[in-house]
Amino acid sequence: MARWVRHPPSAGRVRLVLIVLALCLALYAVERWISWPEALSPDRLRLPLRP
């Protein structure tokens, strides 16, 4: 934080951080309240056991 006070980031960098944060929160909200679509979930593969 001291580095940011001495050398504040540019407006573009601040905007980028806020956009990434908003995207993460939106993805969390979709996953939490609407549920994640089953079609987008990876299937677990059962590998045969080797003797």
Side-chain angles (χ1 to χ4, degrees):
M1 295 306 293
R3 181 174 175 246
W4 275 32
V5 171
R6 280 184 254 134
H7 304 286
S10 66
R13 168 102 23 143
V14 172
R15 191 176 317 135
L16 175 68
V17 169
L18 292 176
I19 289 171
V20 169
L21 183 63
L23 287 173
C24 290
L25 291 175
L27 202 111
Y28 173 77
V30 166
E31 185 177 349
R32 185 77 174 153
W33 291 316
I34 301 174
S35 183
W36 191 253
E38 193 65 34
L40 295 178
S41 297
D43 294 332
R44 289 194 176 262
L45 296 176
R46 295 198 84 182
L47 299 176
L49 296 175
R50 292 185 180 176

